[in-house]
Amino acid sequence: MRASIFHKIGDPSVLAVTSDFPKPVLAGDSDLVLVKIVAASVNPIDYKIREGSVPFQPRKLPAVVGRDLSGVVEAVGAKVTKFKPGDEVFGMAEALIGTYCEYVVVSQRSLVKKPSLWSHREAAALPLVCLTAYQSVGRLLEKAGRGKKVLVIGGSGGVGSTAVRLYSALGAEVYATCSGRNAEYVRGLGAHRVIDYTSEDFAVALKNVEFEYVLDTVGGKADRDKARNLLSYGGTFIAVTIMDPSVHSVGVGTALGVMFDYAKTWSYERIWRGINYSFMLVRDFGGDDLEKVVNIFLRLGFKPNIDAVFPLDKAADAHAQAQQGRTRGKIVIDVQQQ
């Protein structure tokens, strides 16, 4: 099958399309689904794996990256009850599988039916960012009730824009940082106030606001140190990434050092200010959480913003653009011509 693969760790140029990558085999007596992928999307974890900055996710090379997918069910295992061949589905593949390819085998738990109102491109843009936004702060907001204040650091990217829209829908008063060119876009998602990080220090601009929750989608010690001073007693800080965005290659030692520094800060703040710190990893790929967020977005008439679309053989260009860090919404890869 056609797939965008990499044979070695490196910059975007290591990605190349092959026509003879092994097609996955569906086990007949299973709850697995063979999906013909129509579209995938780019997440930071994709290019971090490609460049070797995810030290605890070793891969046998050559390998395929990608987590998000939207496509059509080709075949199902005997224990599958939710889908049948021909169903349009989308979801998130389990770790180490890869979706920049024509076919993938995933658990039925990882998929939901694609809404007819969304294209495959739009559906492919959502799984990882939806699950990250919901499982980090969204669940907490559901329990806490309306009116809570949330700061989203990096409000215009994939996770950030999804979080702003979701948290606003859940009744939170959402503040967000982004560049000036994306300010109106983020306001349109429901942000109560937007801070242009190119001209304002959010720690100064928001010094009189106390937040119950901070979601950091950017990473780095500087923003973390600023944001923790804006949290109320007992507040929660959740980081999507703890690494500085300027770091492109991380050894195990460096990663452990950052984690140690993070844990030290967490312990101090936990004892003296009751602040909860955590690092966000999508822990449940099941479709229940994804379906819950999708239903909220459908009620709102919300569709994800597609910043750019690349064909499969231009996946390297998609990564190069994503790594510039100026994406508004998501970058999508067309696996099948649309």
Side-chain angles (χ1 to χ4, degrees):
M1 67 174 180
R2 293 180 72 243
S4 179
I5 64 173
F6 63 107
H7 287 85
K8 61 180 180 179
I9 298 300
D11 63 24
S13 66
V14 301
L15 288 172
V17 168
T18 180
S19 298
D20 57 2
F21 198 76
K23 180 180 177 180
V25 177
L26 177 67
D29 187 27
S30 70
D31 68 345
L32 302 177
V33 181
L34 175 65
V35 180
K36 183 176 183 179
I37 299 176
V38 177
S41 71
V42 179
N43 294 294
I45 188 66
D46 301 346
Y47 54 75
K48 289 177 181 179
I49 289 172
R50 187 215 71 230
E51 68 186 7
S53 59
V54 184
F56 304 115
Q57 286 209 34
R59 285 179 179 238
K60 182 179 179 181
L61 301 179
V64 180
V65 292
R67 303 298 299 276
D68 294 333
L69 68 103
S70 183
V72 181
V73 174
E74 185 95 348
V76 299
K79 296 179 181 178
V80 172
T81 58
K82 295 172 59 178
F83 308 106
K84 64 183 184 304
D87 285 345
E88 293 188 324
V89 295
F90 75 114
M92 180 176 162
E94 291 87 347
L96 306 182
I97 291 180
T99 59
Y100 295 6
C101 54
E102 290 184 308
Y103 293 92
V104 69
V105 170
V106 294
S107 166
Q108 67 171 339
R109 291 187 63 254
S110 301
L111 301 171
V112 297
K113 289 189 177 180
K114 183 184 76 65
S116 60
L117 294 176
W118 291 351
S119 68
H120 282 290
R121 288 172 177 170
E122 290 166 337
L126 283 174
L128 180 56
V129 296
C130 272
L131 291 171
T132 302
Y134 178 72
Q135 293 179 9
S136 57
V137 176
R139 280 177 176 164
L140 299 174
L141 289 173
E142 284 185 324
K143 296 176 181 177
R146 304 178 71 84
K148 302 300 181 182
K149 291 184 175 65
V150 182
L151 172 62
V152 177
I153 301 175
S156 62
V159 173
S161 60
T162 305
V164 171
R165 194 67 192 97
L166 177 61
Y167 303 162
S168 298
L170 293 173
E173 187 174 291
V174 182
Y175 297 68
T177 69
C178 67
S179 65
R181 77 179 187 90
N182 289 324
E184 284 304 314
Y185 166 64
V186 176
R187 287 191 191 96
L189 295 171
H192 176 77
R193 183 176 175 186
V194 177
I195 307 301
D196 176 3
Y197 68 82
T198 65
S199 61
E200 289 186 275
D201 184 336
F202 73 82
V204 176
L206 301 175
K207 63 182 180 181
N208 295 319
V209 183
E210 282 196 341
F211 294 94
E212 282 85 8
Y213 306 102
V214 172
L215 178 68
D216 180 11
T217 75
V218 177
K221 189 175 186 299
D223 281 351
R224 184 169 77 245
D225 288 345
K226 291 177 184 179
R228 73 187 190 194
N229 294 319
L230 301 177
L231 280 163
S232 60
Y233 184 87
T236 298
F237 180 99
I238 299 178
V240 173
T241 174
I242 60 175
M243 300 305 301
D244 190 284
S246 64
V247 175
H248 298 297
S249 183
V250 181
V252 173
T254 301
L256 290 174
V258 172
M259 288 181 176
F260 177 77
D261 180 68
Y262 196 89
K264 183 172 62 176
T265 301
W266 176 88
S267 299
Y268 175 85
E269 296 287 348
R270 178 66 174 164
I271 293 169
W272 295 106
R273 296 182 59 205
I275 291 176
N276 301 294
Y277 277 80
S278 66
F279 171 53
M280 175 61 204
L281 286 172
V282 174
R283 295 172 176 83
D284 183 1
F285 305 145
D288 291 346
D289 285 350
L290 181 58
E291 198 156 21
K292 184 178 293 186
V293 178
V294 166
N295 287 335
I296 292 173
F297 286 166
L298 287 174
R299 288 198 301 270
L300 296 171
F302 170 76
K303 291 186 176 184
N305 188 70
I306 307 300
D307 192 67
V309 178
F310 293 85
L312 184 62
D313 60 0
K314 297 293 183 182
D317 293 340
H319 274 212
Q321 181 166 323
Q323 287 189 254
Q324 293 175 10
R326 298 292 181 266
T327 303
R328 180 185 295 182
K330 291 294 292 289
I331 293 173
V332 168
I333 294 175
D334 277 349
V335 177
Q336 308 292 336
Q337 188 172 4
Q338 297 184 62

